[in-house]
């Protein structure tokens, strides 16, 4: 199958594909999503097949606002409307108790909850509005690979397997949305996956304490968000996390073993180390925002060098605010390995 690379003027083509149970990848502010009609079991099953995604990992349904939540959800959480007013469109996914048979069971892997998000991207909001369909949208990568932050990444993984890609530039945030469980109206919200809407921000805006799924603190606990248990975001090349004060030692160790090393870090660290490594991927600046935006693109780029690298060294950040989401994804890519 030919994968059509569609621009804004070709929105009608994208809509027609979706209505015929086809798949169209779409841009969002976090990562690109793999879109399909959430009401069509056939289309949703193809999403799982094309990604090679385990069928026990539920999908997020992309919608255009709180009105749609009201259509699909039973027992709406008292904070739901406030959360959507404050953060939608934006990188916050809400896990809700859905009405029976609102969606085919495959969407939520048989769970009684479904997660919803209104993405902050004009082209994708236009697509949602023009199609009038709720769209599932897992990250548009092959399962297990770093999530796609550009349409080239989507094309690389899914060319020939999906009907279309609605094209846009690189995504602004670079990691997937915060997943917040509000399925029990009698319980406070709980973060199942950290993202750009942070615990600190939610607590400040809502004036309540936000719980965090235990497994995010202690990796051995079983996650409530099924997708979090899989080894994720990993390139084929070994990835190692380097703490701020360990760069010199880490580079010396690699030189001693004659390893081909790639480095991912902000300009300050890159300037210190680049004479002594094979290649670098420099984040736009030294901030955690720039690192988060560049993380998946960097992992993909350094995984594809010719000749292959032996190891990718990646800068760590303090685990607060956006640093929680950055480190969550990086630890999975590195299989928890720090240079010690
Ligand atoms: O930013 C994002 O969220 C992107 C863009 C494309 O919107 N989408 C995304 O989808 O990251 P995906 O499928 O790669 O990740 C969805 C995550 C998984 O960890 C999944 O287990 C969790 O959300 N999830 C979905 N529905 C759930 C539910 N009903 N209960 C618990 N976790 C759920
Ligand atoms: Mg994903």
């Amino acid at each position: 199958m030919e994968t059509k690379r569609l621009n804004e003027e070709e929105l009608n083509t994208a809509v027609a594909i979706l209505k015929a149970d086809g798949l169209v990848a779409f841009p969002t502010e976090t990562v690109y999503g793999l879109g399909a009609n959430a009401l069509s079991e056939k289309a949703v099953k193809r999403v799982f097949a094309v990604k090679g995604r385990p069928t026990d990992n539920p999908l997020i349904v992309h919608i255009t606002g709180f009105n749609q939540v009201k259509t699909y959800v039973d027992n709406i959480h008292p904070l739901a409307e406030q959360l959507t007013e404050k953060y939608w469109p934006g990188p916050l996914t809400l896990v809700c108790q859905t009405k029976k048979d609102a969606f085919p069971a495959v969407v939520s892997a048989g769970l009684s909850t479904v997660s919803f998000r209104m993405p902050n991207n004009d082209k994708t909001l236009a697509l949602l509005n023009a199609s009038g369909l709720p769209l599932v949208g897992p990250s548009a990568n092959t399962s297990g690979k770093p999530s796609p932050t550009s349409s080239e990444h989507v094309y690389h993984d899914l060319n020939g397997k999906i009907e279309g890609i609605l094209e846009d530039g690189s995504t602004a945030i670079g990691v997937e949305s915060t997943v917040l469980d509000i399925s029990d109206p009698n319980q406070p919200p709980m973060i199942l996956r950290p993202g750009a809407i942070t615990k600190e921000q939610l607590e400040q805006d809502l004036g309540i304490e936000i719980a965090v799924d235990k497994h995010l603190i202690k990796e051995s606990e079983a996650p409530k968000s099924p997708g979090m248990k899989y080894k994720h975001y990993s390139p084929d090349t070994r990835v190692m996390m380097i703490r701020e004060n360990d760069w010199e030692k880490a580079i010396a160790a690699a030189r001693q073993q004659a390893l081909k090393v790639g480095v991912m870090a902000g300009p300050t660290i890159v300037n210190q180390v680049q004479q002594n490594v094979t290649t670098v991927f420099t984040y736009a600046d030294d901030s955690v925002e720039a690192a988060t935006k560049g993380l998946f693109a960097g992992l993909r780029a350094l995984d594809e060098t010719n000749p292959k690298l032996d190891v990718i060294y990646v800068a760590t950040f303090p685990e607060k605010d956006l640093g929680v989401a950055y480190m969550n994804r990086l630890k999975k890519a590195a299989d928890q390995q720090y240079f010690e």
Side-chain angles (χ1 to χ4, degrees):
M1 145 188 342
E2 186 212 347
T3 299
K4 293 198 180 84
R5 305 186 73 161
L6 305 166
N7 61 36
E8 243 170 324
E9 283 75 56
E10 296 163 296
L11 207 61
N12 287 342
T13 310
V15 169
I17 294 170
L18 291 168
K19 286 192 167 163
D21 289 339
L23 310 188
V24 178
F26 57 73
T28 82
E29 76 283 31
T30 59
V31 303
Y32 276 71
L34 180 53
N37 178 3
L39 302 172
S40 161
E41 180 176 28
K42 184 175 156 212
V44 175
K45 280 189 169 161
R46 260 194 70 207
V47 168
F48 280 94
V50 155
K51 276 182 61 78
R53 182 179 177 104
T55 49
D56 66 348
N57 189 5
L59 304 177
I60 296 170
V61 176
H62 294 70
I63 55 174
T64 51
F66 184 64
N67 270 341
Q68 275 184 290
V69 175
K70 281 195 288 192
T71 315
Y72 297 123
V73 173
D74 251 349
N75 289 321
I76 294 191
H77 195 282
L79 290 170
E81 186 162 14
Q82 192 187 343
L83 283 164
T84 59
E85 260 171 26
K86 180 98 197 139
Y87 300 111
W88 281 7
L92 180 71
T93 294
L94 298 172
V95 178
C96 303
Q97 199 71 43
T98 38
K99 291 179 181 158
K100 198 170 171 295
D101 299 330
F103 295 96
V106 278
V107 170
S108 53
L111 298 174
S112 64
T113 52
V114 169
S115 58
F116 297 95
R117 157 164 140 78
M118 179 184 185
N120 189 12
N121 178 288
D122 289 346
K123 292 178 186 167
T124 294
L125 287 174
L127 179 68
L128 286 164
N129 281 314
S131 70
L133 298 172
L135 298 178
V136 294
S139 48
N141 52 306
T142 303
S143 248
K145 291 288 147 205
S147 291
T149 56
S150 75
S151 59
E152 278 69 39
H153 298 157
V154 179
Y155 194 73
H156 175 277
D157 282 15
L158 301 179
N159 177 27
K161 298 182 178 171
I162 63 176
E163 282 80 1
I165 304 172
L166 182 58
E167 304 235 331
D168 199 14
S170 289
T171 61
I173 294 172
V175 295
E176 307 86 340
S177 61
T178 304
V179 176
L180 191 69
D181 185 352
I182 55 163
S183 57
D184 184 343
N186 301 311
Q187 294 293 325
M190 183 191 279
I191 293 179
L192 305 186
R193 177 175 75 179
I197 305 290
T198 63
K199 173 175 157 71
E200 291 88 341
Q201 194 180 351
L202 286 163
E203 289 185 335
Q204 189 168 19
D205 290 345
L206 300 177
I208 57 167
E209 200 176 321
I210 301 289
V212 175
D213 184 9
K214 279 203 295 291
H215 108 281
L216 292 173
I217 300 158
K218 193 161 166 276
E219 297 280 341
S220 56
E221 298 281 341
K224 283 202 167 183
S225 177
M228 300 293 284
K229 72 172 178 269
Y230 296 104
K231 185 176 173 202
H232 243 94
Y233 316 112
S234 28
D236 297 326
T237 313
R238 187 157 65 104
V239 176
M240 198 170 265
M241 296 181 279
I242 314 296
R243 294 189 180 91
E244 205 182 338
N245 297 322
D246 289 342
W247 281 99
E248 237 174 84
K249 268 184 290 174
I251 302 284
R255 277 173 76 88
Q256 205 174 21
Q257 298 167 66
L259 296 181
K260 287 193 284 299
V261 180
V263 163
M264 288 169 53
T268 302
I269 290 169
V270 165
N271 283 335
Q272 286 165 24
V273 304
Q274 70 179 339
Q275 300 86 327
N276 296 314
V277 299
T278 306
T279 188
V280 298
F281 181 94
T282 313
Y283 297 146
D285 59 53
D286 288 328
S287 69
V288 69
E289 286 76 19
T292 303
K293 186 169 174 173
L295 179 64
F296 291 146
L299 290 172
R300 280 178 178 263
L302 296 194
D303 199 28
E304 279 166 18
T305 59
N306 191 7
K308 282 239 164 219
L309 298 168
D310 296 306
V311 63
I312 304 171
Y313 281 177
V314 188
T316 59
F317 279 83
E319 291 185 54
K320 59 176 172 63
D321 301 311
L322 186 59
V324 176
Y326 173 86
M327 289 304 296
N328 173 266
R329 306 311 194 273
L330 175 56
K331 282 179 186 174
K332 285 171 194 281
D335 215 2
Q336 313 294 325
Q337 274 202 55
Y338 285 91
F339 175 84
E340 310 279 5

